Amino acid sequence: MTTLPASLRPLAERLFGDRLDLAERFAALLAEQGPERGLIGPREVERLWERHLLNCALMADAIDPSVRTLADVGSGAGLPGVVIAIARPELQVTLIETMQRRTTWLEEVDAELGLGLEVVRARAEELHGEREFEVVTARAVAALDKLARWTLPLVQEEGLLLAMKGSSAADEIEKAQKVLTKLGGIDPAITRYGMGEVEVPTTVVQVRRRPKASRKGDARG
């Protein structure tokens, strides 16, 4: 059952606008192929909209309208990268994924929906020093201390890391504080999106990256 529930349609229309049909096509692709290709569990099909598509699309509320480049690390089934690309067509979205079968899927989705995505098969750390983005996103990839090591070097100065997290977000920030500081991550904050619109709001940890000039002192310390 991938039909958008009537109760969620107003939120879907707010998030996707005139591209809601693309979101519905993506939901259909996930429902038809996701379980057999090992992208989502069979039980996830009936809750694709609230648990996955809208949950991910709410991350777009954290992205400033001026942003133009975004990378999604560990894209997997395209959550949240493909969903954000549908919701925010002005973004140049790069999907970074290590597994061949998943990058193949992402390329097929891009061809089917015409999203203009860049799909890169690599570990995030292989791109350190080569690529930087205004915003880097990740969903359920790893604990924040480990995730920061992979992702913060990809965030350009004064850019943002947006990590979708659950109830342990505050604990993860505390445990990751030393790593964040070492990597130039500042002002970690927890924001919840979709309050009053969905049963379980999307919890996002936001970390800004300091300008490189102000990180030189940290390297000496």
Side-chain angles (χ1 to χ4, degrees):
M1 180 71 176
T2 59
T3 303
L4 174 61
S7 61
L8 295 175
R9 181 165 288 276
L11 175 59
E13 290 175 345
R14 175 177 81 76
L15 293 170
F16 294 111
D18 60 6
R19 289 163 67 87
L20 179 54
D21 63 316
L22 287 176
E24 291 178 315
R25 287 167 62 189
F26 180 52
L29 288 171
L30 266 178
E32 292 165 8
Q33 302 179 31
E36 68 183 49
R37 297 177 71 161
L39 297 164
I40 59 172
R43 295 181 180 179
E44 300 306 305
V45 172
E46 63 187 34
R47 49 187 182 180
L48 271 178
W49 280 100
E50 182 158 2
R51 190 180 177 102
H52 298 288
L53 272 78
L54 294 178
N55 183 251
C56 289
L58 282 164
M59 287 188 80
D61 285 347
I63 303 169
D64 191 273
S66 66
V67 170
R68 287 295 174 266
T69 61
L70 178 146
D72 183 40
V73 172
S75 292
L79 305 167
V82 169
V83 176
I84 291 174
I86 294 172
R88 295 287 294 273
E90 78 280 7
L91 292 173
Q92 301 168 33
V93 176
T94 298
L95 308 180
I96 301 170
E97 170 58 50
T98 60
M99 295 183 65
Q100 179 66 60
R101 63 183 176 84
R102 291 176 179 169
T103 55
T104 297
W105 153 261
L106 295 169
E107 288 168 349
E108 291 173 3
V109 167
D110 182 42
E112 177 73 21
L113 303 183
L115 299 176
L117 303 169
E118 177 189 21
V119 180
V120 178
R121 185 187 176 198
R123 299 195 309 273
E125 53 267 43
E126 293 173 347
L127 302 178
H128 292 177
E130 296 183 11
R131 302 290 301 272
E132 285 191 343
F133 307 87
E134 293 170 82
V135 171
V136 174
T137 59
R139 180 188 192 228
V141 172
L144 186 60
D145 56 349
K146 184 180 289 185
L147 180 66
R149 292 188 182 95
W150 297 339
T151 56
L152 269 178
L154 298 176
V155 179
Q156 71 180 42
E157 58 182 270
E158 300 189 70
L160 274 182
L161 165 63
L162 301 176
M164 191 183 295
K165 290 293 179 181
S167 59
S168 65
D171 289 338
E172 290 195 38
I173 288 176
E174 186 176 349
K175 292 176 182 176
Q177 194 61 64
K178 289 183 179 179
V179 173
L180 295 177
T181 300
K182 182 179 180 181
L183 295 170
I186 59 172
D187 304 328
I190 299 170
T191 308
R192 291 178 174 85
Y193 297 93
M195 300 285 287
E197 295 178 294
V198 288
E199 185 176 343
V200 181
T202 297
T203 299
V204 179
V205 172
Q206 307 183 49
V207 181
R208 187 165 297 281
R209 198 174 190 210
R210 264 197 310 268
K212 293 175 182 176
S214 68
R215 293 202 295 269
K216 292 178 181 178
D218 297 330
R220 293 193 298 266

